[in-house]
Amino acid sequence: MQMTPEWSLMMVAIFLVMGSANWRRRRLRRATRDLPTRLFRQLGPEPEFLPPEEVPEELQGYATLHKRSLRVQHGIWMLALIWMGWVALLGMGLL
C-alpha cells in the first residue's frame, strides 16, 4: 500500500512537533548538567526540569532559557498546525 501525498505532507508536521520536543529536551538536559548539585535539586523532575516558583539569583539564567525554549517549541508547534491546515485544505481540493 502506497502512502498518499497528503499523508506524506502531514508527516512533515509530525516531524516538526517531535523534533522541537526533542530539541528542547536536549537543551534543558545540557543546561541542567552544568548546574551545581545544590541548584539541580531545586528543579522539577525530568524531562521538564521546571524551575522553582521563587527563582534564586543563581538559577535566573536557567529560568530564562526554560521560558525561551518553551516559546520556540510553541512557535514550531504553531507552524506545524498551520502546515496541517494547509495540507487539509489541499486534501479537500479547496486550493
Side-chain angles (χ1 to χ4, degrees):
M1 184 167 119
Q2 201 168 18
M3 189 175 271
T4 63
E6 289 83 12
W7 281 108
S8 298
L9 290 173
M10 284 288 202
M11 294 303 283
V12 172
I14 293 169
F15 289 142
L16 281 173
V17 169
M18 289 173 47
S20 67
N22 285 331
W23 170 81
R24 183 169 188 252
R25 194 173 297 127
R26 278 193 323 262
R27 193 155 170 103
L28 291 176
R29 192 175 297 136
R30 192 178 317 129
T32 57
R33 184 177 37 195
D34 296 338
L35 290 174
T37 305
R38 174 180 63 82
L39 295 176
F40 178 75
R41 289 183 179 157
Q42 294 179 15
L43 301 178
E46 190 176 356
E48 288 299 314
F49 294 116
L50 292 172
E53 293 293 324
E54 293 183 23
V55 180
E57 196 171 313
E58 298 92 4
L59 277 177
Q60 202 66 20
Y62 175 78
T64 304
L65 172 72
H66 195 274
K67 288 177 188 173
R68 188 176 21 166
S69 66
L70 184 62
R71 266 188 264 132
V72 169
Q73 183 181 16
H74 286 169
I76 293 173
W77 286 2
M78 186 60 70
L79 179 65
L81 185 64
I82 291 169
W83 179 260
M84 286 177 64
W86 176 258
V87 172
L89 289 175
L90 287 175
M92 289 188 289
L94 296 177
L95 296 178

